[in-house]
Amino acid sequence: MAAGALLLIVAGLPILLVGWMMWSNDRVGEFRDAATAELPGLSVTLERRFAHPFLAEYYRSLTVKQAGGGEARLDIGMDTGGLTRVGVCRSGTGSILVHDALGTTEAATGTTAPLLARRPALKEKCPAFLGSFDVDAKHDLAFTPAMPTLKDGHRP
Protein backbone atom coordinates (compact mmCIF):
# COMPACT_ATOMS: atom_id res chain seq x y z
CA MET A 1 0.00 0.00 0.00
CA ALA A 2 2.73 2.45 1.01
CA ALA A 3 4.80 1.46 -2.04
CA GLY A 4 1.83 2.16 -4.33
CA ALA A 5 1.33 5.63 -2.81
CA LEU A 6 5.04 6.38 -3.17
CA LEU A 7 4.97 5.25 -6.80
CA LEU A 8 1.95 7.47 -7.45
CA ILE A 9 3.74 10.48 -5.94
CA VAL A 10 7.01 9.83 -7.81
CA ALA A 11 5.17 9.34 -11.12
CA GLY A 12 2.88 12.32 -10.56
CA LEU A 13 5.58 14.87 -9.68
CA PRO A 14 7.05 15.17 -13.20
CA ILE A 15 3.56 15.54 -14.67
CA LEU A 16 2.72 18.30 -12.19
CA LEU A 17 6.06 20.04 -12.81
CA VAL A 18 5.67 19.97 -16.61
CA GLY A 19 2.09 21.21 -16.32
CA TRP A 20 3.14 24.05 -14.02
CA MET A 21 5.98 25.04 -16.39
CA MET A 22 3.62 25.07 -19.37
CA TRP A 23 1.03 27.15 -17.49
CA SER A 24 3.56 29.64 -16.11
CA ASN A 25 5.27 30.05 -19.51
CA ASP A 26 2.34 32.27 -20.46
CA ARG A 27 3.59 34.94 -18.06
CA VAL A 28 6.87 35.58 -19.95
CA GLY A 29 6.74 39.18 -21.13
CA GLU A 30 3.81 40.08 -18.88
CA PHE A 31 3.96 43.16 -16.68
CA ARG A 32 5.36 42.49 -13.17
CA ASP A 33 5.57 45.93 -11.57
CA ALA A 34 6.81 49.49 -11.97
CA ALA A 35 7.85 52.43 -9.82
CA THR A 36 8.10 56.12 -10.67
CA ALA A 37 10.46 58.80 -9.39
CA GLU A 38 8.90 62.26 -9.63
CA LEU A 39 11.79 64.68 -10.13
CA PRO A 40 11.78 68.40 -10.95
CA GLY A 41 10.87 68.59 -14.65
CA LEU A 42 11.01 64.82 -15.24
CA SER A 43 9.43 61.61 -14.10
CA VAL A 44 11.49 58.44 -14.34
CA THR A 45 9.72 55.05 -14.37
CA LEU A 46 11.46 51.70 -14.03
CA GLU A 47 9.33 48.77 -15.21
CA ARG A 48 9.86 45.03 -14.87
CA ARG A 49 8.32 42.29 -17.03
CA PHE A 50 8.65 38.56 -16.45
CA ALA A 51 11.53 37.00 -18.42
CA HIS A 52 11.26 33.43 -17.14
CA PRO A 53 8.33 31.08 -16.54
CA PHE A 54 9.08 30.54 -12.85
CA LEU A 55 12.40 32.15 -11.85
CA ALA A 56 12.62 35.74 -10.60
CA GLU A 57 14.17 37.10 -13.80
CA TYR A 58 12.88 40.27 -15.40
CA TYR A 59 13.22 42.40 -18.51
CA ARG A 60 13.70 46.02 -17.42
CA SER A 61 12.82 49.24 -19.21
CA LEU A 62 13.19 52.89 -18.32
CA THR A 63 10.66 55.54 -19.36
CA VAL A 64 11.40 59.24 -18.89
CA LYS A 65 8.61 61.80 -19.27
CA GLN A 66 9.48 65.45 -19.57
CA ALA A 67 7.14 68.02 -17.99
CA GLY A 68 5.32 69.77 -20.82
CA GLY A 69 7.05 67.57 -23.38
CA GLY A 70 7.28 64.06 -24.69
CA GLU A 71 8.61 60.83 -23.36
CA ALA A 72 11.34 58.36 -24.23
CA ARG A 73 11.63 54.65 -23.43
CA LEU A 74 14.71 52.42 -23.35
CA ASP A 75 15.28 48.76 -22.49
CA ILE A 76 18.10 48.60 -19.94
CA GLY A 77 18.84 44.90 -19.82
CA MET A 78 17.68 41.87 -17.95
CA ASP A 79 17.70 41.39 -14.20
CA THR A 80 18.74 37.77 -13.71
CA GLY A 81 19.02 38.27 -9.96
CA GLY A 82 20.72 40.90 -7.86
CA LEU A 83 20.27 43.81 -10.29
CA THR A 84 17.11 45.24 -8.78
CA ARG A 85 18.74 48.22 -7.02
CA VAL A 86 19.07 51.13 -9.44
CA GLY A 87 20.45 54.49 -8.26
CA VAL A 88 19.24 57.83 -9.60
CA CYS A 89 21.25 61.05 -9.45
CA ARG A 90 21.70 64.40 -11.16
CA SER A 91 25.01 64.99 -12.94
CA GLY A 92 27.01 68.19 -12.89
CA THR A 93 25.51 69.08 -16.29
CA GLY A 94 21.92 68.64 -15.06
CA SER A 95 21.24 65.30 -16.74
CA ILE A 96 19.63 62.49 -14.78
CA LEU A 97 21.88 59.44 -14.44
CA VAL A 98 20.38 56.04 -13.73
CA HIS A 99 23.07 53.65 -12.46
CA ASP A 100 22.78 49.87 -12.25
CA ALA A 101 25.27 47.02 -12.26
CA LEU A 102 25.30 46.85 -16.07
CA GLY A 103 25.90 50.53 -16.83
CA THR A 104 24.47 54.00 -16.74
CA THR A 105 21.56 55.51 -18.61
CA GLU A 106 21.73 59.25 -19.13
CA ALA A 107 18.48 61.19 -19.50
CA ALA A 108 18.89 64.73 -20.78
CA THR A 109 16.01 67.10 -21.36
CA GLY A 110 15.33 67.97 -24.98
CA THR A 111 13.10 70.44 -26.78
CA THR A 112 10.31 67.95 -27.51
CA ALA A 113 11.29 64.80 -25.59
CA PRO A 114 14.07 63.69 -23.27
CA LEU A 115 17.06 61.97 -24.82
CA LEU A 116 18.02 58.57 -23.38
CA ALA A 117 21.46 57.07 -23.94
CA ARG A 118 22.85 53.85 -22.46
CA ARG A 119 26.53 54.20 -21.59
CA PRO A 120 27.98 50.94 -20.23
CA ALA A 121 31.38 52.45 -19.41
CA LEU A 122 30.18 55.77 -17.95
CA LYS A 123 31.41 56.06 -14.36
CA GLU A 124 30.62 59.71 -13.70
CA LYS A 125 30.52 60.66 -10.04
CA CYS A 126 27.07 61.40 -8.72
CA PRO A 127 27.17 64.90 -7.23
CA ALA A 128 23.46 64.91 -6.32
CA PHE A 129 22.03 61.54 -5.27
CA LEU A 130 18.23 61.64 -5.76
CA GLY A 131 17.23 58.17 -4.58
CA SER A 132 17.03 54.59 -5.75
CA PHE A 133 14.70 51.95 -7.13
CA ASP A 134 14.62 48.70 -5.18
CA VAL A 135 12.16 46.08 -3.99
CA ASP A 136 10.10 46.62 -0.86
CA ALA A 137 9.09 44.07 1.78
CA LYS A 138 6.49 42.59 -0.61
CA HIS A 139 9.15 42.24 -3.36
CA ASP A 140 7.45 44.95 -5.42
CA LEU A 141 9.47 47.66 -7.11
CA ALA A 142 9.51 51.02 -5.30
CA PHE A 143 11.40 54.31 -5.48
CA THR A 144 12.93 55.65 -2.27
CA PRO A 145 13.96 59.32 -2.46
CA ALA A 146 17.24 60.38 -0.91
CA MET A 147 17.09 61.73 2.60
CA PRO A 148 18.12 65.38 2.95
CA THR A 149 21.53 65.70 4.53
CA LEU A 150 22.60 68.12 7.21
CA LYS A 151 25.28 70.59 6.17
CA ASP A 152 26.69 72.80 8.88
CA GLY A 153 23.72 71.90 11.08
CA HIS A 154 21.12 73.23 8.59
CA ARG A 155 18.68 71.38 6.40
CA PRO A 156 18.88 72.19 2.68
Side-chain angles (χ1 to χ4, degrees), residues 55-155:
L55 294 178
E57 295 182 346
Y58 307 100
Y59 298 116
R60 300 175 308 149
S61 64
L62 195 66
T63 303
V64 178
K65 293 182 183 178
Q66 184 172 294
E71 71 178 63
R73 181 181 169 105
L74 182 69
D75 291 328
I76 61 169
M78 200 163 111
D79 177 0
T80 58
L83 298 178
T84 305
R85 190 174 190 316
V86 177
V88 179
C89 66
R90 188 174 301 278
S91 72
T93 62
S95 295
I96 299 295
L97 300 177
V98 180
H99 295 286
D100 65 7
L102 300 177
T104 299
T105 303
E106 181 179 17
T109 56
T111 55
T112 58
L115 304 172
L116 286 176
R118 189 73 170 159
R119 305 182 194 284
L122 182 63
K123 298 294 181 192
E124 181 177 340
K125 295 283 185 194
C126 186
F129 179 69
L130 301 174
S132 63
F133 292 100
D134 208 344
V135 291
D136 59 14
K138 297 178 195 173
H139 300 285
D140 292 329
L141 200 56
F143 180 76
T144 304
M147 297 296 290
T149 58
L150 293 176
K151 289 187 178 182
D152 302 326
H154 298 90
R155 291 200 181 268

Side-chain angles (χ1 to χ4, degrees), residues 18-83:
V18 168
W20 180 62
M21 288 174 62
M22 289 175 59
W23 168 80
S24 62
N25 195 36
D26 291 341
R27 78 177 194 165
V28 172
E30 285 183 10
F31 176 81
R32 163 62 168 98
D33 56 4
T36 300
E38 296 294 339
L39 307 172
L42 292 174
S43 70
V44 178
T45 301
L46 181 64
E47 180 181 297
R48 297 188 305 173
R49 294 188 172 276
F50 290 105
H52 196 276
F54 53 90
L55 294 178
E57 295 182 346
Y58 307 100
Y59 298 116
R60 300 175 308 149
S61 64
L62 195 66
T63 303
V64 178
K65 293 182 183 178
Q66 184 172 294
E71 71 178 63
R73 181 181 169 105
L74 182 69
D75 291 328
I76 61 169
M78 200 163 111
D79 177 0
T80 58
L83 298 178

